[in-house]
Structure formats: structure tokens, C-alpha cells
Amino acid sequence: MGPQDSSRGPVPHGHVTLVQVARWAGVSAQTVSNAVNNPERVAPATRQRILAAVEELGYEPNLSARALRNRSSSLIAFKTRPARPDKASLLMDEFLYALNASAAQAGYHLILVHAEDGSANEIKAYRDLLKKTPVDAFVLTETHRNDDRVAAMRSWGVPFATFGRSWDGDDSTAWVDVDGRAGTRAAAEHVAAQGHRRIGHIGWLAGSEIGAERREGWLEGCRERGLETDLQALVPDTLEAGRQAAHRMLDSSRPATALVCASDTLALGVLRALHERGLRPGTDVAVTGFDDSPTAALVSPGLTTLHQPIDVVGRQLIQTIDNLLAGDAREPQHVLLEPELIVRGSSLPGPPRQ
């Protein structure tokens, strides 16, 4: 059967198998496999014919599956993202370091993936990587509802684990996450214990599952004490948005005396607003953040915030991936870690004004 044999019939793009490529090129499936994976075993003319068929049909060999069978790559892929100058947190930088250290200890290597914003771009970058490089598994971050990346990984049969739970309630996804609800509840309880009754919340825009969870923690902390929850704002995660939201809540006819924020970035914007109004953090208005960024310990007074156990997250994710690659038959691992409230001067009563 030659390359122009009409008995082959049309083959649709997108779901092409190795057998279909073999039929199209008039060779055995093993010869196609050799041409893709061990080209030195195939005569140049035959390999050229096979590669032409691969190109024509859009066949995408699953190099990752081959690597998993042979355990030959020990590569775990992770998408990086650029730092933002308007954000205080270096959480993802800390996570990358923790993940890399844990991977090295377990005998794996991280391979970093670049992609522009958007799940479609990220998925394309993963597909391109799998065409060229045998990868054992992927780590995904910033999960959300109806996550196309999760669907793609499953369709490819590639093991993966996520930093961030499955917000669709899908128990078949392995994940490690930090309990944002418990964190902001602890922050609200802390400022309430200082005597505050008008506790506002500055959170992220609607559509962020993480932001919604942190808002729920603040709501729970206030409602358990019979406190009003009318002072809340959902804004972009920037210093300026935090600053403007703080001014609005302080201009209220019954202003906030404490502000629980969904991030250190927003909390630092609040501190700027207090400075502009001649108010003292802690003494006049209590302020809390989330993520324990380096800046939180450097401002004066220090910013009370929630510390995420990122080193534990990294270790748990690598352990989870190791279990998946070993064919562990247990249910996918779900690990929810509690953040630690780091109390500093921004939420504590200071000395009275002289």
C-alpha cells in the first residue's frame, strides 16, 4: 500500500492514532513508533514518508505516556508567571522555590513553561511541550470553576495535581490548598477580640473563587459575634483599589474601625489611606492582610496577616504526584492546610495620642 492508495480513506484531524498514521504511510505501527521515538532505526526515505503522514494527519504522539511507562524523564512541568509591580505578595515565587526543592529531594526536575495569559494559551503551551519533551506530570495553579486545563490533562491521560482545590466539587482531581476561609475568619475574630464592632472587608472582584472563600470567612467571623456586615467592597487586587475602598468605608456615616483584607496588597493600600487621613493603624483603625508578604514585616507598624505554609504545599504536591506515577490505587489526595495568623502592630491598640 503506497502513500497515494485511496483505500486508506479520510482521517479526521485531532484524534489521529498511530495505527492510522501507519495505514496512511503504508508501514507497520511499530515502524511509525520507531520513526517518532527512535529515528535511527528507520531508513531515511521511510522516515520521511512517515513524517509527511504525521504532518498531513496532525498526529501528536503522546511522548508523556511513553515516558511514564519507562519512568525515563522525571520531569514535572509548571507554568511560571511574571511578577506584578502593583502586588505586594511574592507567594508564587515562594511556591516555585518550595516546589523545586521538594521535587529535587524526590528525584524529579521541574521544567518551566511559558504561556501568555488565558487558559487557551496555557493549554497550547502544554501541548507543544508534550510534542517535544517526555513529561511525567504537571502542576497547575490558580484553579477555577470549569477549568479547561483540567479537562485537557484528562483528555491527554497525563497525571497532574493542582495547587488549589477543584471548585467544581470534582473529587477525582488531586489537590493541595490553603483554607482561606479559616484565615479571614481568624482575622475577623482577632480584631473583634480587640473590641472592634464595625469590621469591614475589602476583597477581590466577583468571579474569584479564592476571593469568595476569604469573604465567607470574614462573614462567619462577624456573624458569630452578631456584628453587622454591611461594610464590604469587591475590588481589583491593587494598592490603589485598596486605598480607595478604605476611604469609602472611612467616609461612611458609621465608619469602619477595622478592615480585614483579602490580600497584603489591598491592606497596604489601606495603610496608605490611613496615612493620608492622619490615622494610625491599630490605634485608630485595625488592618489585616493575607499572604505574609515580605513588605508586611517591613512597614511600620508591621502588618497583621495570614501566613500560608507554602513549603508544606510544595512537599504535599510532589508526594501526591509521586503517588500518581507509582499507580497508587487510593483515592486522589485532597489536602487542606490552615494558614497561621501573624499578629503585628497594624491590628493592635497602640499608645493613646498625646
Side-chain angles (χ1 to χ4, degrees):
M1 183 185 296
Q4 301 300 319
D5 194 324
S6 61
S7 65
R8 295 165 305 185
V11 178
H13 288 248
H15 300 283
V16 180
T17 68
L18 182 144
V19 172
Q20 289 169 322
V21 173
R23 185 181 301 121
W24 186 277
V27 298
S28 69
Q30 183 59 55
T31 302
V32 174
S33 178
N34 286 339
V36 173
N37 302 318
N38 302 288
E40 70 278 1
R41 298 182 183 178
V42 182
T46 303
R47 182 169 184 268
Q48 184 175 4
R49 188 166 78 248
I50 291 170
L51 293 180
V54 167
E55 174 104 12
E56 173 67 18
L57 300 177
Y59 173 64
E60 296 176 2
N62 191 343
L63 298 181
S64 178
R66 174 171 57 85
L68 289 174
R69 288 194 298 271
N70 300 328
R71 286 305 309 273
S72 59
S73 77
S74 296
L75 292 176
I76 297 173
F78 173 73
K79 176 188 172 291
T80 59
R81 68 177 187 181
R84 280 178 44 187
D86 59 346
K87 286 180 68 70
S89 177
L90 298 176
L91 184 72
M92 296 313 295
D93 296 311
E94 297 171 12
F95 174 66
L96 176 58
Y97 178 85
L99 189 70
N100 190 43
S102 296
Q105 290 175 359
Y108 296 100
H109 301 281
L110 282 191
I111 181 169
L112 302 183
V113 181
H114 171 75
E116 299 299 328
D117 289 343
S119 61
N121 292 326
E122 191 169 337
I123 290 170
K124 181 181 183 301
Y126 293 153
R127 288 174 64 91
D128 291 344
L129 176 65
L130 286 172
K131 291 178 187 177
K132 303 171 185 175
T133 307
V135 175
D136 277 356
F138 286 78
V139 171
L140 306 181
T141 62
E142 299 177 319
T143 54
H144 52 82
R145 295 187 191 279
N146 303 315
D147 200 320
D148 292 339
R149 301 169 303 164
V150 170
M153 291 290 162
R154 288 191 175 138
S155 70
W156 302 335
V158 181
F160 69 97
T162 64
F163 177 16
R165 73 200 70 177
S166 170
W167 297 101
D168 297 315
D170 181 359
D171 291 337
S172 64
T173 298
W175 54 261
V176 180
D177 202 3
V178 177
D179 193 342
R181 181 189 301 231
T184 46
R185 184 172 62 243
E189 291 170 348
H190 164 69
V191 294
Q194 313 306 312
H196 295 279
R197 293 295 175 265
R198 293 289 288 166
I199 303 173
H201 175 65
I202 302 178
W204 295 335
L205 292 171
S208 166
E209 287 84 2
I210 297 174
E213 186 194 40
R214 294 182 183 183
R215 176 178 172 274
E216 285 299 317
W218 162 77
L219 283 170
E220 289 177 1
C222 291
R223 287 171 176 168
E224 287 171 1
R225 285 155 182 77
L227 304 180
E228 296 173 302
T229 57
D230 57 301
L231 292 172
Q232 52 182 299
L234 302 180
V235 300
D237 189 30
T238 67
L239 286 166
E240 181 59 22
R243 171 185 167 275
Q244 292 182 12
H247 277 305
R248 290 195 298 271
M249 292 190 184
L250 295 170
D251 285 336
S252 169
S253 59
R254 297 171 59 229
T257 64
L259 290 170
V260 171
C261 301
S263 72
D264 284 357
T265 300
L266 293 172
L268 291 171
V270 172
L271 295 183
R272 181 176 295 175
L274 296 183
H275 176 74
E276 291 169 350
R277 300 172 81 101
L279 299 175
R280 294 177 297 178
T283 302
D284 299 318
V285 179
V287 183
T288 70
F290 205 117
D291 284 339
D292 195 21
S293 62
T295 308
L298 298 177
V299 295
S300 181
L303 176 63
T304 293
T305 184
L306 278 304
H307 176 79
Q308 300 198 49
I310 294 301
D311 55 338
V312 181
V313 172
R315 287 200 304 272
Q316 291 283 0
L317 279 170
I318 295 300
Q319 181 62 60
T320 295
I321 284 175
D322 199 48
N323 292 342
L324 291 172
L325 295 176
D328 194 322
R330 292 177 299 176
E331 291 295 317
Q333 190 172 17
H334 302 149
V335 180
L336 187 60
L337 303 168
E338 191 158 328
E340 178 187 3
L341 183 67
I342 307 297
V343 177
R344 300 189 178 102
S346 72
S347 63
L348 297 175
R353 292 181 182 272
Q354 299 298 321

